[in-house]
Every structure is written in C-alpha cells, then in structure tokens.
Amino acid sequence: MKILNFGSINIDKVYQVDHFVMPGETQSCQGFQVFPGGKGLNQSIALARAGAKVWHAGKAGRDGDWLVRLMKEAGVDTRFVAVSEQETGSAVIQVDPSGQNGILLHDGANGTMEEAFIHEVLAFFDKGDLLLLQNEINKVPEMIEAAWEKGMTIAFNPSPANEGIGKCDLSKVTWLLLNETEGEQLTGEKEPEEILSQLLFQYPRMNVVLTLGEKGGICYSEGRKFSFSAPKVKAIDTTGAGDTFTGYFLKGIAMGETAQAAAATAAKAAAIAVTREGASVSIPFYSEVQV
Ligand code: RIB
C-alpha cells in the first residue's frame, strides 16, 4: 500500500505569549521562532519518522524551498510538491504558558490546487493505496471524489474545522481522525460519546478516531469501540500534537497493526511532541517512542 498525503505546507511564526491577545490589545511577547509547519507537512513528517514511506503532494511558493528540502531530508518523497506563484502558506501561532495555542492561517500556495494537478498526482497511485487529507488546502472535496473513483482508501483529518467540510462526502472516508472541536462542528454534539454515535449513525461504515488531548481518545473500528489513554506529561507546546498522532496512527494501520496498538503508539508519540516547542520539529522518531 502506497501512502499519499495531499496537504498543506506552512511557515509557522510562533509567538510565546502571556495570554492570547485581546481585541484592541498590544502585547509584547516572550519569544519568537519560525518553524516549518502546516498540517500536511507535519503529518508527512510524522509518517516518515514513524517509519512509513510517504509521498507528499501540495504546493509551496518560492519562499518555501527550505520546507520542501526539509521534508526530503526527513525521508518524504516530494516529487509531487509543485512550486506556486503565490507565497507559501503561513500561520501566526500564539502559545501561552500552559502550552495551548491559537492559530491564524493564510492559505497562500495551499489555496492553489487545480483539478489537472490532482489527476496528475493520483495517476501514480492505485486501488488500495491510502490517501491522507486535512482541511488546509483547496479542492479537498474533489480529491475525495477522485480518490474514491480510483478505489483508494481515504483517511481524513477535518482540521481546521470550517464550513468547507460540509462540501466533503464523508461517506467515502474510511478513517476519520478528529478532535472534539472538529467533532462538534461536524455533529453539533459536545460529548465525545455523542459525537461518536452521531458520526456512526450518519456513516456506519466509517472508522473513527476521536482524540481528546490529555484524556487520550476513543476509537470505533470494524465493529469495536475502545478508549485509549495518553501518557501524563508536562505540555509546553501542543501545536502539531494531532498531526503527530495522525501520522503515527496511520503508519500503524498501514503496517497491519490493530487500531488499539496503533492508537497506543500514536498517543505516546503525541505526548512526546507536546513536551517540545514547534510543530514538525517536535515530532519524535520511532526509536524515541519505543523506549
Ligand atoms: O496542526 C498544527 C499546524 O496548524 C501548524 O503547523 C500550523 O501551520 C497550522 O496549520
């Protein structure tokens, strides 16, 4: 099974703040760093660090060469990353002392996918291969349709949650990986059990992983529901924790592991990631997760 991740590439500008900036407030920050990011890039790096072979497709501007180089160095196949005339996508990220973040996104090159490009990329993949998507590039609904037509397995992380998700035919998704906020956006429910029930009522063939941060998560796969826990750690930056989980979890599934085993490893990897600053740079290698 080949794994294709069609996803965003961002330059993350990260500000350490005392509290998230309020309307009308000007706040001096305690620190500033620039990191490679984007949910797509982060998840490709997580897959690669977990030990999977992954092809990344997407677009970066000329200012994003370094991000493509970095993915290549991490072992990601970047032959389907095209150069856009637009600037690379970017994120302004505030991180507070508890490690929580608030993110402001600018699409840039991530908003320039065209149908011809999608079909050109998908032509390299076959029935049974896995397509991973997030909600941070344009034409996600079209990608779901095209991959479904080919008989690819589709994993979708509907993040960030916005009205665009409504245009996606989720009945064609085999694995949905989401957090509580995204779950509420999709179902209108707040309670994890209710979110899961609603999703399964609407999409009975779907496998769902609902992550709950430090509380771990719940998963429904192949007729079985189970909870998993997250190791207790002191979080300093939660940015990219969900991406780390997604990459590690799907690597496990692609290798034929049970959902329980894949979720346990993924929760461990995400717990390590939150103890470090940045998104993709915080993702652990498989050797660190195994100790
Ligand atoms: O999931 C974390 C990512 O969200 C960051 O890297 C940032 O780029 C935003 O896309």
Side-chain angles (χ1 to χ4, degrees):
M1 178 202 272
K2 294 205 280 267
I3 304 175
L4 166 65
N5 181 14
F6 219 128
S8 57
I9 297 171
N10 284 343
I11 298 173
D12 286 356
K13 297 172 183 170
V14 182
Y15 298 84
Q16 306 291 334
V17 295
D18 176 57
H19 57 266
F20 295 161
V21 74
M22 308 289 281
E25 179 191 6
T26 300
Q27 186 188 151
S28 289
C29 55
Q30 276 88 51
F32 169 69
Q33 278 163 295
V34 176
F35 287 117
K39 294 176 198 305
L41 177 149
N42 297 339
Q43 292 180 21
S44 280
I45 292 201
L47 276 154
R49 290 197 175 162
K53 166 103 185 110
V54 54
W55 282 259
H56 187 100
K59 294 197 183 188
R62 297 190 194 284
D63 54 336
D65 279 6
W66 63 284
L67 299 168
V68 184
R69 224 176 18 250
L70 194 133
M71 279 198 277
K72 221 180 261 174
E73 282 162 15
V76 176
D77 191 311
T78 58
R79 77 183 76 178
F80 299 120
V81 179
V83 180
S84 171
E85 288 313 314
Q86 298 265 332
E87 73 283 15
T88 301
S90 58
V92 169
I93 305 180
Q94 300 179 56
V95 179
D96 76 7
S98 75
Q100 288 306 309
N101 62 58
I103 303 181
L104 194 64
L105 277 177
H106 178 246
D107 284 358
N110 294 319
T112 64
M113 310 302 147
E114 312 103 358
E115 302 257 347
F117 178 54
I118 296 166
H119 290 290
E120 187 190 314
V121 173
L122 290 189
F124 183 77
F125 297 88
D126 299 302
K127 186 176 164 104
D129 288 344
L130 178 73
L131 172 67
L132 168 60
L133 295 166
Q134 309 77 28
N135 192 34
E136 221 172 41
I137 54 174
N138 67 321
K139 299 230 178 273
V140 170
E142 289 82 354
M143 289 178 193
I144 292 177
E145 292 305 320
W148 169 261
E149 289 289 317
K150 284 187 79 87
M152 292 177 79
T153 299
I154 300 166
F156 185 35
N157 171 221
S159 180
N162 59 32
E163 55 299 333
I165 299 170
K167 301 199 181 102
C168 298
D169 183 354
L170 299 185
S171 69
K172 295 177 174 157
V173 169
T174 301
W175 284 100
L176 188 74
L177 298 109
L178 73 179
N179 65 21
E180 279 166 294
T181 313
E182 292 137 13
E184 186 180 345
Q185 172 95 11
L186 282 181
T187 64
E189 300 290 347
K190 281 190 171 19
E191 288 304 313
E193 291 290 342
E194 292 302 322
I195 292 171
L196 194 61
S197 301
Q198 266 302 321
L199 286 170
L200 294 172
F201 176 71
Q202 290 178 56
Y203 311 105
R205 293 182 319 131
M206 195 184 249
N207 298 281
V208 182
V209 185
L210 179 64
T211 55
L212 304 170
E214 60 192 17
K215 294 198 272 313
I218 46 178
C219 174
Y220 177 88
S221 172
E222 293 176 354
R224 293 189 55 204
K225 189 173 87 172
F226 65 91
S227 304
F228 55 92
S229 57
K232 296 257 165 298
V233 291
K234 178 161 169 32
I236 62 158
D237 183 355
T238 57
T239 317
D243 300 330
T244 305
F245 183 96
T246 297
Y248 265 81
F249 180 83
L250 290 175
K251 181 261 177 175
I253 295 299
M255 299 297 286
E257 284 177 20
T258 62
Q260 280 98 326
T265 309
K268 225 165 144 187
I272 297 174
V274 302
T275 63
R276 304 169 178 174
E277 287 180 338
S280 61
V281 295
S282 73
I283 299 169
F285 289 90
Y286 191 66
S287 55
E288 300 173 85
V289 180
Q290 284 314 94
V291 293

